[in-house]
Each structure stands twice: as C-alpha cells, then as structure tokens.
C-alpha cells in the first residue's frame, strides 16, 4: 500500500450537506417553547405603553379574576429578588461612561414603550397573556426624547434626570493625528462631506426569545434554559447578578432559531425567571410574542453619521474624518456602548488612507435599547465609507471601480497597519473587484443603462459597488482589554477519541443556525482520517461544555474552529507517541495520514488510529508515565483579528413613475479565507446579503413623535422573504489568513456588511442623471418617488 | 399574539351555521379560512366568544358556469380560483387576481366568501368582484337575498351583511372584454398599497386601498365611455377620494399611484 493510494479524503472544501438539517426539517429539533415542564409557572410581562412616565399605580384586580392567573407583582414587589443586582453592561467604553441602573422590572419610572413594569404569574401561557392584558397601570406621562439629534439638543428632556445629561459617552480615535487630518483637509483638491442615517432595525429571528428556569430545590441548583447565543456568558452574568454560586448553575441553549446578535444578551426575563424559580422552588418560564419582541428585544443600528473625505486631485484619499451620534436607547444592555466602536476602526474601509479621525458620541433616548445586530458597527462604517467613495468618484469624474482601484490597500502591503491601528492579515482587494466586475458583466450593464437614459425610459438601471473589509474573529483578549471590554476573546475545545474510535468534539461556540456540527466534523475528520459522521459535536450546555465564550462577531470558525483544530492536533501528538511505542520506532520517523501511522520507508510497519484508541483505553501497554485515553483540551486566544473582504455589485431597476426598486442582479465576490464548506458559506452569504438589502429597501423600526413603535408586526415591519431575494451570483477569492493554522477568516456577517451600500449606491446611480444624489434607507417606493420629485424641483 | 378565550362550534350545513349565529348572537363569528379573523384575534382586535367553523362545508366549494354567469361557492379557496381551468376560461380576471393574494399558504386557506365578508378595502378579490359587476348571495334566518357588489361595501371592514347572515355564493358575469389588474406592493405576500382592477374593456374600474371600501372609479369609467384616452381617463382616478396615510404611502403618493396604475391597467385592458 502506498501513501498516495491512501490519501486522506478531503472533506474540507466539499459541499457536504448539513448534519443539523434532518432534525430541523422534520420537526425533531427541540426549541425552548417545546420543553415540557409540568407544573411550571408561566410569566406574563406587563409592558409600558408610555415612552416615559412615572408609574403611579398598578391594579391587578381584574387580572386576578381570570381563571389561572395567580399573582400580579409590581417592580417594587420584585425588587428584593435582585437586591443590589441589575442587568449587566459588560463594556464600559470610557471611565466616565454613564450607566443607569437597569432593573429587570421598573419600580418608579418607565423609560420606553415595552419597559417591563409588572408581571403576572399564571398556570398557562394563555392565562399569563390574558392576565397581562388585564393589568391596569396608572401612568403619569413625562416628556420623552425620541430622535437621536433631539437628545443632544439644548433643553432636551432627560431620559435619566439623575445622570444630568443624555450623553452616555464620547469615544475618539485620533491620537496625535488630529493636526495631520486637518492639514490633509486644508490641502485637499476634493472634499466630500456627507450625512447618513442608519435607521433602527428589529432583528426578528425566526424564533423569538424565551427562557425557562428549573430549580432542584433539594440541592439548591438551578438550570436555566434560554433561547440564547451565549449560554456561557449568561451563566457567569446570572451568577453575578443574582448571587447564585456558579457551581450551582447550569445554562442550556436548546435548538435556537437564529439570533443575529439579539440573543447575545442578558435579558430581564432570564434574570426574572431565574430569581423567581429559586424563590418558588418551581419551574418558571416565559415565551416572547412576536410583537412583544419588537419592543422587548434589543434593536440594531440607530446612528447619525457624518463622514468627510479629503482627496488629492487624482482622487487618492488622504484623510477621513467621522463624527457619529449613536442611539443607546433607554438603557445599556450587555455590549450596547461598544457596538459603534466595532465600526470605529473601519471607516477608512479597504483603502490605504494615511490620516484617520473618528469620534462617537452616544446618547440615551426613550426607546428600546440597541445592541449588536448582524455586523455590529461594521455595516454602518462600510455604508458610510462606500457611499462617500461614490460621491468622491463623481467629484473626481471617474467610475466607482476606478476610485476604488486608486485607493485600495495593495496586495503587496500585507500585513498592513492601518491608520486606525489595526494590522490587516491578508487580501487582494483589486483581484476581488476585478472578478466581481467580470461576473457582473459590467460593460453590458452600463450600455443598457445608457441606452435607457437616451431613450428617456421610466425604467432606469443602476449599478452599485460596495467593497468592504471587516474585522472578525473576536478577539485577542489583550486588545479587548485595551477597549475596556469586560471579558476575553478566547475559545475552548476538547477532543476525545472513544474506545471504538468515534470522536467527540466539545466546543465553546454555540451554534444557532450556522452549521458548527457539520463544519467541526469535517475539520476533525480530515485531521484524523475518520468519517465526519463518526464525529459528534457537543455544545450549548454548560454541563457538557463548561468553558466557552459563545458565538457572535463571525468568531466561531476563526477562534472556536481553530481551538478544535489545535485540540485535534494535540490528540494526534499523543496518539503518535503510542504508535511509536507500539511500532518500536521513534516519533520523528512516523507519518500519519488517512487515519494510519506508518514508519517512513517501512510501509508494512503501520498501526491504525482505531488500534491506538483501543490501546489508550485499555492502557495495558502505554509508554511509561503516559495517562490513559486519547483526549485533549485547548483554549485558543487569537493573536489578531481576521479581515474578510470582498466586492459586491448590485444592479437595480428603478421605476421612476412609481419609485419602485427591483433588485435585478446581485454579484458578490468574498474573501473569507479558506472555506471549510462552501455550501455553508453560501448560505451565510445569501442570508447576509438579503438582510443587508432589507436595511436598504425594506426594514425600518418606525417610532412616532410620542415614542410609540409603529412597526410592531411583520405586516408593518417588512422582513423580505425568498420572493424578494435577488438573484445571487457568488464567487470567492481566498487569501488564507496567516493568523490561524487553517487560514480561515469568518463569513457570518460579510453579506450584511456589504449589501446595504451596494444597493443604495445602485439606486442613486440609477437616478443621478435626474439630479438625485442621496436616498435615505429604507429606499421605499414612496421615498424614491419623493427623492426624484424633489430633485426635479418638486414636480411629480 | 395570544387570542382571548373562545368557544368553537362546527357547522354541519349553511342552515346549521345560521342557526348557530342566531343562537349565540353578536358574539359569534363565522370562521372560514381564518386568514383574516385569526390574525385579528391574535392582536385582540376581535374577541368573539364563539367561532362557528364553516370551513368544512365542502358543498359550498364549487365553480359553475352557465347562462353567461360564473357562480362560485363561498367556501371556494383562493387557490381553487387560481388553478381552476373553468375559471381560466370563463373569468380569467378572477383567476389571475386570486393568484396575487398573499402567498401560497394564504391562498390555500382563504375563501372568496371570507374575503368579501371581511370587506377590507386593501383586499384584492373584493375590488375585482366590484369591477366585474358581481353579485353576492347571502342567506339568513329568513332565506336568501342577492346583493349587487356595488351596494355591498359600506365602510372599513363593514358591509350590508347582517350579523346572522352568511355569504353562500358569489356570481360574476362570464367573459366580458379586456381586463387587467395592477397590484402595487413591496413584498410579494403583502396587501396592495394601491391596486386597480379594470374589467369589460374599461366599463368597470375599481380601486384598492384608496378609501374605506373598495371603490368603483366611476369618473374613470365615464371618461372611458366618453371616448377619453387611457391617460386622460386615468388623470381623474383619484379625484374626490380621501386615501389613507400609512407607513407605506401618504395620501398624495397613493393618489399618484392610483393615476399611474389606472393608466397601466387601462392600457393593458385595451384602452388606448
Ligand atoms: C399573511 C397574509 C397575507 C395576506 N395577503 C392578502 C393579500 O395580498 N390580498 C388579499 O386580498 N388578502 C390577503 N390576505 C387575506 C386573505 O385573503 C384572507 O384569507 C381573506 O381576506 C379572508 O378569507 P378567510 O376565508 O380567511 O376569512 P376568515 O378569516 O375566516 O373570516 C374573515 C371574516 O369574514 C367572516 N366570514 C367568513 N366567511 C364568511 C361567509 N361565508 N359569510 C359571512 N361571513 C363570513 C368571518 O366571520 C370574519 O369576520 C392575507 C392574509 C394573510 C394572513
């Protein structure tokens, strides 16, 4: 047998169907609301109908008349449950950041529509809903501040009068650079100055939130089940907030139907159910309704962006200056204040811009708190710089692809140290753009566009570019320390081989739709020479996977997957020592491939992994001093972020009679480094693009001037469906990341980061000859029609 | 999103349904496809204490043609209108409008009787029946009556139907000249922001979501009858109307859309 005949099957890189899907597609998967918990107390939350009001009285008498409703509790009744504890914010971005005390249920004042003001305890979910609807709350309305810019206006009502200002913090990134930035603007041949609005978005995962806290009164233990992305972080935080010893607490995330960041949090209901369960000695559970979730789950985005570019006569950008106003909402949730910072390093996009200045002022408003939503800060940054680059192209008189080409960080510049202080790992941005241009058939599209303009057609064509780079793989723990984040960025993995040579992978990443089980199996299968179906992946239960930092920020593969890879290497090292012992050879003379150790040059001297696994189990004949069993644990702290990048091109047709925008083509070329499973990558990119296009065209959390959320259901909040999806045409251009052994970068957020500016640039491109230079998101038919009418001097 | 408690009765026949309505009074509601009623109950905008399920009355699921008329049983599903060969032949307009309602799941549950009884000015099929000059057959404790579609709708979610009456059949003329339906919405599954139905080569024109009921655009019809061009006739489409203002469209934009879509519909229906 020669080694080439026995080459390992390369699962990595193949389009393997997902292991997760049969259970999901047949309904076998169990979500939070599927848990059967006999005797559970159901919680109904009474939510403020006022944006800002003193709570004068709570009358539960009508609720208590309802069959199955047992108790109505006010915030004051509940306050002893948490004592000094309050909902945590883990990211105090500046030493003087203002952080109002955030109780799970308000006691004196409601700060936003949806703020919990009382709870109903009932025998069923139905009775809890009836009871919550029947509680009468007497409010004394207070002036509310709704819009971001109003919050910082003179004389604005205060969201938290005790904090004496609506300003939460101001954070800047300019170092010694301010003078150089000013000089670049003074000398610039072209200055672009733009103001963009990032509307608030409702994450709307398929499965709303929910939780169930189950006590074991005999031993004082508590198991908290939650539809969460972060069982590990939730465990630590619940222990701290409620003073439950960590060794008595277990957190389980069952099957979780998406999160997009909104389940990366520690919520009032999780603390409430846990505290009540401990107090009552009975299971306590809550399931969120869709419209309830629009108010009670964090929202995304919510920024006013000012961006300026200074360029020389050739359009080479010399400086970028950004001032941001970011909406925190009424309270700080887990990482609310940090979200704008995650974009704060990337307002120069994928361009080599020597001078950089970023400042963010974050404000409180009487609205639902914001927090991380797919891309978290990076979609906002990419939107601003990519829109502004198109404006610069117009000013310089070159095409969007040419202005990008003139400014890209060169392929030979890596590792590239950016003016904002990051070190970019790898990339070839021009090659990526060239591929996208070819795939889009750009010259034919442009010819079509021109002929429609010449014919005076009411169906204009627009072509929009978006070239992006993002920072993923959160994160080097020391970098997080420098940003005052309250935790590290490592990830943990354990790999075990059983006596019958099956593989158990325990990961600290917590999938909620991504496909970790499939991808981790493929990685390990290639390393060990086993079948992916012989690998089980355990996760999302702190009793099974006690160490981890969970899933968000496109970190799973680059950090968690790397930990799995490294743990597997460690197991192979141990197996090699046993093999050397059995074959009476030195470890250096052994090679391992296709699941078999062989002595180099002596092909007949070989031992399969299965034999070693059994030998490690029986421990009858191991090298002196070696522990039995094949098992290894790794905690991996990445040395750097990873930097996925790409160019997306959107083609839209705009009906100038109605303002309707049709997404007729969409090309995306992404560099997410080495791909483990292209099928999973494409799924992430498809969903991501549609989510970004949704911000561009459909989704908007609309508040009226009283602070009432108007779009609280999926008829008014327009999440697009497959029917609205553009034709996705994808390609990739991998430059392996040198940061980790597999060369991976991450792809969970790429589509969302790239898509919104590509689509809006396309809409503006379609209408530029009609005088339109900007269209706000979402570019609804009415918004587009009015933009055209305004540009034409009000004539419709 | 959890409805208030209610009782549930299954009707064995139209007569039985009407008897149950009489027995339970104002708090009872018929349940057909449930795709308007159940969402309203989940928002607690409707809190009937008894639901009378007529969804199993298969004898009211039919499409029959004869004497220049198409007769459709009230429990006929949108998807049945959409896919019926008989409908495609006798009244292709109704088949093609049915195909634009909501999404496949909605079309497999929603019924023609239900959408008419619900009288939502934003719905598609009521406006089509109006433009076609259809007739609605309603049965009550005292027997059946025929109501012209033009007399049927009285306000937002309101019609001349009495609380103890049930729609049993809908009739539209077969054949009948150039037709077109323009539905303008943002997502495929959504109701129309504005819709325009043209039947009989411009003899019947109706508007969706331009007021409190489906609206017969009599000004447009008169202009077409008087020999106006499509553009001239469409120019008066929104005259005198008070269209609603919502997240998708304000009144000014809706009026503009009504004019644009009316011209397109008339053109497609053969009016030059
Ligand atoms: C997601 C979604 C999207 C939709 N999109 C559209 C759309 O784009 N366009 C559109 O036109 N519609 C749309 N609909 C509504 C759909 O067409 C409804 O099914 C239809 O409007 C009502 O029919 P139903 O049989 O479901 O009635 P039900 O919901 O069962 O009943 C509606 C009302 O009519 C009464 N009723 C029902 N049948 C009778 C009868 N025979 N006699 C007297 N009263 C009766 C009921 O008591 C109730 O008050 C949508 C619905 C959903 C859920």
């Amino acid at each position: 047998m020669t080694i080439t005949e026995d080459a390992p099957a390369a699962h990595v890189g193949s389009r393997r169907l997902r292991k997760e899907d049969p259970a999901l597609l047949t309904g076998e998967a169990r979500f939070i609301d599927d848990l059967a918990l006999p005797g559970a107390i159901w919680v109904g939350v009474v939510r403020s109908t006022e944006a800002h009001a003193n709570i004068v009285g709570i009358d539960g008498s009508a609720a208590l008349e309802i069959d199955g409703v047992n108790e109505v509790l006010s915030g004051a009744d509940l306050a002893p449950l948490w004592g000094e504890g309050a909902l945590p914010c883990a990211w105090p971005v500046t030493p003087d950041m203002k952080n109002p005390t955030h109780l799970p249920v308000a006691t004196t004042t409601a700060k936003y529509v949806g703020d919990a003001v009382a709870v109903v305890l009932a025998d069923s979910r139905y009775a809890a809903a009836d009871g919550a609807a029947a509680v009468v709350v007497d409010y004394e309305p207070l002036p509310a501040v709704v819009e971001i810019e109003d919050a910082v206006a003179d004389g604005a009502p205060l969201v938290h009068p005790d904090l004496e200002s609506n300003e939460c913090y101001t954070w800047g990134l300019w170092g010694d650079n301010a003078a150089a930035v000013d000089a670049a603007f003074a000398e610039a041949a072209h200055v672009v100055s733009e103001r963009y609005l990032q509307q608030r978005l409702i994450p709307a995962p398929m499965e709303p939130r929910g939780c169930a806290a189950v006590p074991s009164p005999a031993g004082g233990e508590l198991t908290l089940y939650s539809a969460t992305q972060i069982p590990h972080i939730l465990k630590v935080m619940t222990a701290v907030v409620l003073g439950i010893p960590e060794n008595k607490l277990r957190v389980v995330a069952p099957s979780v139907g998406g999160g997009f960041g909104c389940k990366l949090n520690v919520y009032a209901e999780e603390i409430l159910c846990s505290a009540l369960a401990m107090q009552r000695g009975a299971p306590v559970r809550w399931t969120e309704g869709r419209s309830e979730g629009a108010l009670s789950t964090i929202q995304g985005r919510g920024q006013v962006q000012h961006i300026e570019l200074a360029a020389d006569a050739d359009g080479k950008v010399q400086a970028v200056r950004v001032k941001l106003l970011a909406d925190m909402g009424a309270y700080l949730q887990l990482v609310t204040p940090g979200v704008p910072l995650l974009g704060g390093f990337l307002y120069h996009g994928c361009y080599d811009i020597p001078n950089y200045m970023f400042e963010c002022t974050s404000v409180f408003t009487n609205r639902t708190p914001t927090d991380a939503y797919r891309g978290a800060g990076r979609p906002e940054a990419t939107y601003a710089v990519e829109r502004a680059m198109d404006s610069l192209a117009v000013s310089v008189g070159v095409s969007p692809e040419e202005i990008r080409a003139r400014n890209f960080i060169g392929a030979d510049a890596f590792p590239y140290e950016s003016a904002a202080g990051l070190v970019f790992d790898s990339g070839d941005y021009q090659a990526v753009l060239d591929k996208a241009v070819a795939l889009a058939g750009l010259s034919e599209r442009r010819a079509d566009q021109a002929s429609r303009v010449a014919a005076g057609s009411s169906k204009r064509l627009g072509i929009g570019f978006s070239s992006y780079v993002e920072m993923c793989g959160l994160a080097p723990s020391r970098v997080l320390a420098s940003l005052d984040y309250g935790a590290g960025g490592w990830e943990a993995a354990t790999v075990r081989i059983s006596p019958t040579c099956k593989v158990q992978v325990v990961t600290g990443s917590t999938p909620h739709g991504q496909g970790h089980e499939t991808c981790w199996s493929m990685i390990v299968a290639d390393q060990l020479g086993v079948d992916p179906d012989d690998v089980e992946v355990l996760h999302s239960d702190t009793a099974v996977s006690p160490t981890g930092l969970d899933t968000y920020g496109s970190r799973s593969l680059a950090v968690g997957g790397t930990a799995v890879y490294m743990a597997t290497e460690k197991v192979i090292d141990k197996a090699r020592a046993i093999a050397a012992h059995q074959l009476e050879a030195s470890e250096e003379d052994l090679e391992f491939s296709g699941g078999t150790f062989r002595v180099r040059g002596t092909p007949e001297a070989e031992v399969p992994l299965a034999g070693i696994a059994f030998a490690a189990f029986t421990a009858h004949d191991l090298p002196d001093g070696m522990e039995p069993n094949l098992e290894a644990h790794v905690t991996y702290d990445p040395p750097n972020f990873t930097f996925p990048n790409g160019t997306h091109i959107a083609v839209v047709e705009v009906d100038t009679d109605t303002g309707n925008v049709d997404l007729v083509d969409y090309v995306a070329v992404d560099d997410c480094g080495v791909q483990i499973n292209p099928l999973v990558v494409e799924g992430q990119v498809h969903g991501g693009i549609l989510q970004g296009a949704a911000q561009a065209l459909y989704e908007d959390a609309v508040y009226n001037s009283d602070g009432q959320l108007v779009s609280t259901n999926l008829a008014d909040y327009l999440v697009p469906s497959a029917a609205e999806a553009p034709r996705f045409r994808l390609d990739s251009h991998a430059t392996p990341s040198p940061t980790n052994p597999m060369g991976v970068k991450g792809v969970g957020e790429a589509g969302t980061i790239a898509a919104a500016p590509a689509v809006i640039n396309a809409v503006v491109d379609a209408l530029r000859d009609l005088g339109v230079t900007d269209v706000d998101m979402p570019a609804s038919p009415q918004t587009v029609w009015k933009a055209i009418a305004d540009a034409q001097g009000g004539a419709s | 999103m959890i409805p208030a408690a209610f009782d549930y009765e299954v009707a064995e026949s139209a007569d039985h349904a009407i008897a149950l309505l009489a027995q339970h009074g104002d708090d009872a509601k018929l349940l057909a496809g449930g795709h308007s009623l159940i969402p309203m109950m989940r928002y607690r905008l409707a809190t009937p204490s008894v639901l009378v399920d007529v969804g199993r009355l298969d004898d009211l699921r039919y499409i029959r043609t004869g004497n220049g008329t198409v007769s459709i049983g009230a429990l006929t599903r949108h998807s049945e209108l959409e896919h019926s060969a008989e409908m495609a032949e006798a009244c292709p307009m109704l088949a093609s409008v049915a195909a634009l309602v909501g999404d496949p799941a909605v079309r497999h549950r929603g019924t023609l009787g239900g959408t008419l009884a619900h009288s939502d000015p934003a719905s598609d099929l009521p406006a089509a029946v109006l433009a076609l000059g259809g007739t609605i057959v309603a049965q009550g404790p005292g027997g059946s009556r025929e109501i012209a579609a033009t007399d049927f709708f009285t306000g937002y979610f309101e019609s001349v139907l009495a609380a103890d009456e049930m729609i049993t059949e809908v009739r539209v003329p077969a054949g009948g000249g150039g037709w077109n339906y323009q539905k303008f919405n943002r997502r495929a599954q959504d109701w129309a922001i504005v819709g325009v139905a043209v039947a009989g080569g411009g003899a019947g024109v109706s508007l969706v979501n331009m007021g409190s009921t489906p609206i017969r655009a009599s000004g447009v019809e008169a202009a077409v009858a008087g020999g106006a061009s499509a553009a001239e006739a469409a120019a008066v489409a929104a005259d005198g109307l008070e269209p609603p203002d919502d997240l998708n469209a304000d009144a000014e934009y809706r009026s503009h859309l009504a004019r644009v879509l009316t011209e397109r519909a008339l053109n497609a229906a053969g009016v030059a």
Side-chain angles (χ1 to χ4, degrees):
Chain A
M1 196 193 293
T2 69
I3 288 163
T4 39
E5 274 171 13
D6 196 26
H11 297 291
V12 168
S14 72
R15 304 174 66 84
R16 197 177 170 84
L17 293 180
R18 299 200 321 164
K19 269 187 174 183
E20 293 84 348
D21 288 337
L24 290 170
L25 295 174
T26 58
E28 191 183 287
R30 286 285 167 266
F31 295 85
I32 188 79
D33 204 44
D34 295 321
L35 289 182
L37 296 171
I41 297 170
W42 280 88
V43 170
V45 182
V46 180
R47 301 193 178 277
S48 175
T49 53
E50 299 288 323
H52 196 187
N54 287 325
I55 303 162
V56 181
I58 289 172
D59 179 359
S61 54
L64 290 168
E65 303 275 295
I66 295 168
D67 215 20
V69 174
N70 302 317
E71 289 176 69
V72 176
L73 301 169
S74 69
D77 297 334
L78 293 160
L81 283 179
W82 26 86
E84 297 296 300
L87 295 178
C89 170
W91 202 339
V93 297
T94 61
D96 61 350
M97 181 187 85
K98 297 194 169 82
N99 183 14
T101 302
H102 186 188
L103 297 177
V105 180
T107 49
T108 56
T109 315
K111 302 284 186 186
Y112 64 96
V113 174
D115 207 355
V117 297
V119 302
V120 168
L121 306 187
D123 293 339
S124 70
R125 190 173 174 212
Y126 292 90
D130 288 346
V135 172
V136 180
V137 184
D138 187 8
Y139 295 104
E140 179 193 5
L142 298 167
V145 55
V146 182
E147 297 300 329
I148 300 176
E149 286 167 323
D150 294 343
V152 288
D154 284 344
L158 295 177
V159 178
H160 301 285
D162 53 318
L163 301 181
E164 293 170 351
S165 161
N166 288 328
E167 192 179 317
C168 174
Y169 68 84
T170 292
W171 187 90
L173 190 65
W174 55 80
D176 316 326
N177 220 357
V181 170
D182 289 346
F185 274 93
E187 289 160 19
H190 299 276
V191 171
V192 167
S193 177
E194 304 282 5
R195 173 178 178 274
Y196 300 121
L197 301 178
Q198 294 283 334
Q199 79 270 36
R200 276 176 169 247
L201 300 176
I202 296 172
M206 190 81 88
E207 182 205 24
R209 290 191 297 120
C211 59
V214 182
S216 309
E221 291 96 356
L222 183 78
T223 301
L224 173 61
Y225 298 89
S226 182
T228 182
Q229 296 174 222
I230 53 161
H232 298 94
I233 296 173
L234 180 59
K235 178 181 163 179
V236 178
M237 292 296 176
T238 305
V240 170
V241 171
L242 292 177
I244 301 173
E246 255 192 279
N247 57 317
K248 301 265 180 186
L249 191 59
R250 171 183 171 203
V251 176
V252 183
S255 284
V256 176
F260 309 118
C262 83
K263 294 175 181 167
L264 188 197
N265 231 304
V266 177
Y267 280 104
E269 297 83 3
E270 291 164 329
I271 298 300
L272 175 70
C273 289
S274 298
L276 279 169
M278 294 295 275
Q279 186 195 48
R280 305 298 168 102
V284 178
R285 70 190 302 181
W286 169 81
T287 297
E288 185 182 64
R290 177 65 70 190
S291 293
E292 180 181 29
L295 300 167
S296 65
T297 291
I298 64 95
Q299 297 178 0
R301 318 283 188 255
Q303 296 184 353
V304 179
Q305 308 175 291
H306 292 271
I307 182 167
E308 295 172 292
L309 302 178
D312 67 16
D314 296 330
K316 180 85 190 61
V317 184
Q318 302 300 328
V320 56
R321 186 158 63 194
V322 174
K323 280 205 168 165
L324 216 63
L325 278 176
D327 186 358
M328 306 284 94
Y331 289 106
L332 303 181
Q333 284 277 357
L334 192 62
V335 299
T336 303
V339 171
L341 274 56
L342 290 172
F345 294 89
L346 289 172
Y347 276 84
H348 60 75
C350 36
Y351 310 112
D352 178 20
I353 301 178
N355 300 298
Y356 191 78
M357 188 162 163
F358 171 85
E359 185 182 275
C360 173
T361 295
S362 288
V363 303
F364 294 109
T365 59
N366 290 107
R367 299 197 279 191
T368 295
T370 60
D371 207 314
Y373 174 58
R374 201 170 188 174
R378 290 153 291 164
E380 297 92 314
T382 303
Y383 183 82
V385 65
E386 286 305 284
R387 294 286 325 275
M389 287 302 277
D390 267 25
S391 298
L392 178 62
V394 171
S395 175
V396 177
V398 298
S399 67
E401 60 273 26
E402 176 61 23
I403 202 74
R404 285 167 175 77
R406 288 185 188 180
N407 285 284
F408 275 148
I409 297 164
D412 54 2
F414 294 94
Y416 170 83
E417 189 170 349
S418 78
L422 297 174
V423 179
F424 288 24
D425 53 359
S426 63
D428 187 345
Y429 302 160
Q430 187 64 48
V432 167
L433 180 132
D434 291 343
K435 259 191 185 172
V437 163
L439 191 56
L442 188 64
S443 41
E444 293 80 19
R445 289 288 190 192
R446 286 251 166 84
D448 186 5
Q449 178 183 41
S451 73
R452 292 180 193 219
V453 171
S457 165
S458 61
K459 299 277 167 60
R460 297 294 168 114
L461 215 56
I463 300 141
F465 280 75
S466 168
S467 296
Y468 74 94
V469 61
E470 55 158 332
M471 52 197 266
C472 280
L474 272 52
S477 297
R478 286 182 180 189
V479 175
L480 292 177
S482 73
L483 296 173
D484 297 305
Y485 180 64
W490 46 261
E491 195 48 88
T494 302
V495 173
R496 301 187 180 103
I497 302 183
S498 73
T500 59
C501 204
K502 305 299 180 196
V503 185
Q504 192 173 61
V505 174
V506 182
T507 177
S509 299
T510 50
H512 40 284
Q514 291 84 353
H516 291 47
E517 292 177 24
T518 304
C519 294
W520 283 200
S521 299
M522 291 166 72
I523 292 168
V524 171
D526 274 3
Q527 286 176 280
L528 295 177
V530 301
D531 192 285
D533 286 337
D534 287 339
V535 183
E536 73 175 319
V537 179
L538 304 179
H539 55 79
S540 305
D541 177 347
T542 61
V544 171
S545 150
T547 314
L549 284 174
D550 307 313
T551 289
Y552 42 86
S554 305
R555 70 189 299 272
S556 285
L557 178 58
V559 191
T562 300
V564 168
Y565 177 91
M566 290 169 67
T568 307
E569 289 298 297
K570 258 189 167 176
V571 168
I572 294 170
D573 286 345
K574 182 168 182 182
R576 177 178 285 109
I578 299 171
H581 178 71
Q582 289 188 354
L583 296 170
E584 293 175 353
S586 81
E587 287 181 42
E588 294 75 54
D589 290 340
L590 291 187
E591 54 195 15
F592 180 58
S593 93
T596 302
F597 286 96
R598 291 184 190 82
V599 181
R600 219 172 265 116
T602 318
E604 61 279 7
E606 63 173 41
V607 52
L609 185 62
I612 294 170
F614 195 70
F617 166 69
T618 61
H620 293 172
D621 181 22
L622 295 177
D624 288 345
M626 179 182 274
E627 290 178 17
N629 285 320
L630 285 179
E631 172 173 335
H633 179 82
V634 163
T635 304
Y636 169 68
D637 197 355
N640 190 7
F641 298 94
T642 56
F643 295 86
N645 60 86
T647 288
H648 290 203
I649 300 176
V651 181
V652 301
E653 187 180 85
V654 182
D655 180 340
T656 56
D657 289 335
T658 63
N660 189 60
V661 176
D662 243 343
L663 205 39
V664 295
D665 193 18
Y666 198 101
V667 162
V669 179
D670 294 295
D671 173 4
C672 63
V674 170
Q675 300 189 6
I676 304 302
N677 183 335
L679 196 65
V680 170
V681 169
E682 286 166 21
Q684 289 290 329
V685 174
H686 287 179
I689 291 169
L690 191 56
Q691 222 159 356
Q695 179 175 14
L697 297 177
Y698 298 105
E699 297 185 15
D700 193 2
V702 181
Y703 280 83
N704 70 14
S705 56
D706 297 332
Q708 297 285 343
L709 180 65
V710 186
S711 49
T712 56
N713 60 50
L714 297 181
D716 290 331
Y717 187 81
L718 306 184
V719 177
S721 72
E724 285 71 51
R727 228 174 111 198
F728 300 111
R729 297 196 295 134
L730 310 186
D731 200 352
S732 62
H733 185 91
T735 62
S737 174
T739 302
N740 56 65
M742 288 187 289
V744 297
K745 293 185 178 175
V747 75
E749 296 155 302
T752 311
I753 289 169
V759 171
I760 297 293
N761 278 340
V763 172
V764 173
D765 182 59
L767 302 176
R768 210 181 292 280
D769 76 289
L770 298 175
V772 174
T773 55
D774 189 20
V775 176
D776 281 341
M777 298 189 288
S780 72
Q782 173 169 282
T783 300
V784 171
W785 178 71
K786 294 209 162 170
I788 297 168
D790 287 347
Q792 304 278 296
S796 50
Chain B
M1 300 296 279
I2 302 243
F6 56 88
D7 285 332
Y8 173 82
E9 305 252 24
V10 177
E12 310 289 340
S13 65
D15 289 345
H16 184 212
I18 291 156
L20 286 167
L21 286 179
Q23 180 191 332
H24 293 290
D26 276 357
D27 291 339
K29 278 253 172 218
L30 296 181
L31 175 69
H35 270 51
S36 291
L37 184 55
I38 290 175
M40 292 187 74
M41 289 169 64
R42 292 174 66 109
Y43 291 120
R44 300 193 176 212
L45 296 172
T47 50
S49 54
V50 182
L51 289 186
V52 176
D53 190 351
V54 293
R56 304 175 195 193
L57 300 182
D58 286 342
D59 54 330
L60 293 181
R61 285 170 83 167
Y62 57 81
I63 297 164
R64 293 179 195 137
T65 50
N67 300 329
T69 300
V70 190
S71 304
I72 305 151
L75 269 297
T76 306
R77 314 274 162 179
H78 306 332
S79 59
E80 290 163 343
L81 298 180
E82 176 185 357
H83 296 297
S84 150
E86 202 159 4
M87 191 52 89
E89 176 77 26
C91 186
M93 173 164 169
L94 215 50
S96 90
V97 173
L100 294 176
V101 175
D103 54 35
V106 172
R107 296 196 290 274
H108 276 87
R109 298 302 308 168
T111 65
L112 184 59
T115 188
L116 286 162
H118 192 57
S119 295
D120 181 346
S123 285
D124 302 299
L125 287 162
V129 171
L130 188 61
L132 285 162
T135 302
I136 291 144
V137 182
Q139 186 181 328
S144 276
R145 59 172 176 146
E146 292 178 14
I147 309 160
T150 39
D151 300 330
F152 186 78
F153 306 102
T154 55
Y156 275 112
F157 307 105
E158 279 173 14
S159 69
V160 297
L161 218 54
D164 56 0
E165 273 186 312
M166 172 177 175
I167 298 175
T168 51
E169 189 174 276
V170 179
R171 296 179 194 149
V172 293
W179 61 273
N180 185 252
Y181 184 63
Q182 295 283 323
K183 177 172 183 172
F184 188 80
N185 59 7
R186 289 173 69 183
R187 295 177 303 179
Q189 62 163 315
D190 286 330
W191 277 263
I193 296 172
V194 174
V196 178
V198 171
V205 180
S206 67
L207 303 173
V208 177
N209 215 0
M210 284 296 289
S212 61
T213 64
I215 291 171
R216 192 92 189 229
S218 42
V220 177
E221 293 171 359
V224 172
S229 70
E232 288 162 350
V236 304
D239 287 6
L241 300 183
E242 288 177 25
D245 225 317
D246 60 28
L247 291 178
N248 284 318
D250 62 21
E252 181 200 3
Y253 177 59
R254 270 210 164 78
S255 299
H256 168 78
L257 282 179
R259 291 186 288 267
V260 170
L261 299 176
T262 299
E263 183 175 344
R264 289 181 184 176
L266 287 172
N267 278 326
V271 180

